[in-house]
Amino acid sequence: MRTIDVTDAAWGTLLALQEGLADLEGGADPVTRVYGPIAGAKGPFVIAQVGQSLDGRIATPTGDARDVSGPDGLAHLHRCRALVDAVIVGVTTVTSDDPRLSVRIVEGRSPVRVVIDCRGDLSGGEGMFHDGGAPVIVFQSATAPPRTFGQAEVIRLKEDTCGLCTGAILQALADRGLQRVLVEGGAKTIARFIEAGHVDRLHVSVSPIIIGSGPSGINFSPIEFLSEARRPLTEVYSLGSDILFDCDLRSNPVLGRQGEQVSVANPT
Ligand SMILES: NC(=O)c1ccc[n+]([C@@H]2O[C@H](COP(=O)([O-])OP(=O)(O)OC[C@H]3O[C@@H](n4cnc5c(N)ncnc54)[C@H](OP(=O)(O)O)[C@@H]3O)[C@@H](O)[C@H]2O)c1
């Protein structure tokens, strides 16, 4: 399995690519394959990323999610944040973790922070409204009680049967120049974006711990048969402490035997 080893030079090239100051040279090296599509996206691009345990959990039943990913999985998450314009989370992630959603482990700028708070569950006391960090945008239903959250912009959308339409959320962000988007969690929020067909890449980073109980990383609507399961073209890399499954959700794999859509690149 090939390892993603992001040297300072490679990271500098990715940041230049993000700024439009470099071109993507279709390299086959792991760093270019994994991060190039995000940094080099010329139009709308949505990546979802999940950091999970060996048994597919993202937190304990009491909501402790801080150290699910190992140090290299965390660095990968921060790289993804640094390469996008906006990072989206659901309200439960904010009320349980009070995350900063900033870029701290790698060089790069922090993305605009976006919270989907359909019914108006935020208290306004959450750290992101007071930490002086990147701007915050809150999406709420047009029927939620009108509120302000410090300097945050509140965008009110009409609710449909699926809650707030993920396409309308992405369009509102694109209207503000935020086209590269990371959907960071939790499971319900990621599922809504994937089920609506809005996610280009899914990164699942697996850390070698077993939690044994607690929420899983993605919660789709139930299916009856495994033949209905999604089998995206997937490349597998070592991040060091964690293993990364890089799934291309735009691919339409022609399947032979189960697992043939997965490629584990060997060191050259
Ligand atoms: N390890 C990781 O990578 C990671 C990352 C982030 C979060 N987490 C963990 O995940 C857990 C939270 O996950 P979760 O799945 O319970 O919650 P979540 O996805 O953070 O938030 C779910 C809430 O957001 C609402 N929501 C999301 N998208 C919506 C939309 N398009 N329209 C309307 N409402 C929308 C949901 O509404 P409904 O109630 O109507 O569905 C629900 O109230 C926490 O324990 C957190 O620590 C882990």
Side-chain angles (χ1 to χ4, degrees):
M1 184 182 301
R2 293 179 79 183
T3 298
I4 295 179
D5 178 17
V6 187
T7 61
D8 288 349
W11 186 240
T13 303
L14 287 165
L15 292 178
L17 184 61
Q18 179 196 27
E19 297 295 337
L21 302 174
D23 282 325
L24 182 61
E25 290 163 21
D29 65 286
V31 173
T32 305
R33 288 191 69 78
V34 169
Y35 299 109
I38 315 171
K42 297 273 187 269
F45 188 89
V46 180
I47 171 173
Q49 117 88 40
V50 180
Q52 67 176 43
S53 63
L54 285 177
D55 52 328
R57 320 276 180 171
I58 55 169
T60 65
T62 54
D64 184 5
R66 289 263 173 225
D67 292 318
V68 172
S69 295
D72 300 315
L74 207 54
H76 170 71
L77 171 62
H78 281 239
R79 276 182 220 117
C80 291
R81 285 181 186 166
L83 294 176
V84 296
D85 305 315
V87 55
I88 298 179
V89 289
V91 66
T92 310
T93 294
V94 177
T95 53
S96 11
D97 299 354
D98 201 11
R100 283 181 276 178
L101 302 176
S102 56
V103 175
R104 302 184 296 279
I105 298 179
V106 300
E107 191 196 326
R109 59 161 200 252
S110 294
V112 170
R113 300 170 286 182
V114 178
V115 186
I116 304 177
D117 176 30
C118 186
R119 290 181 286 272
D121 294 332
L122 291 169
S123 70
E126 294 80 8
M128 64 171 68
F129 299 121
H130 308 282
D131 63 8
V136 181
I137 298 175
V138 178
F139 281 92
Q140 291 192 328
S141 162
T143 58
R147 295 207 43 183
T148 54
F149 300 96
Q151 304 290 310
E153 180 182 7
V154 180
I155 300 177
R156 295 165 67 80
L157 296 176
K158 211 170 133 201
E159 222 177 315
D160 64 20
T161 48
C162 304
L164 303 182
C165 169
T166 50
I169 292 170
L170 293 172
Q171 186 57 56
L173 296 179
D175 291 344
R176 288 158 179 76
L178 309 172
Q179 297 216 85
R180 277 174 293 217
V181 173
L182 166 66
V183 184
E184 192 172 309
K188 289 182 181 169
T189 301
I190 288 181
R192 287 200 166 158
F193 279 87
I194 293 179
E195 290 195 312
H198 287 128
V199 178
D200 297 286
R201 286 289 175 107
L202 170 67
H203 282 186
V204 180
S205 137
V206 180
S207 153
I209 62 165
I210 301 170
I211 303 178
S213 56
S216 65
I218 303 172
N219 283 338
F220 287 152
S221 310
I223 55 170
E224 201 171 344
F225 301 107
L226 279 177
S227 56
E228 300 165 53
R230 290 159 193 259
R231 298 175 196 273
L233 281 178
T234 298
E235 294 186 0
V236 189
Y237 299 97
S238 169
L239 287 167
S241 63
D242 299 36
I243 300 294
L244 177 68
F245 291 77
D246 179 6
C247 310
D248 181 356
L249 298 189
R250 296 290 177 219
S251 64
N252 192 12
V254 178
L255 291 176
R257 288 198 313 275
Q258 177 171 347
E260 283 189 353
Q261 80 279 21
V262 180
S263 101
V264 182
N266 291 314
T268 50

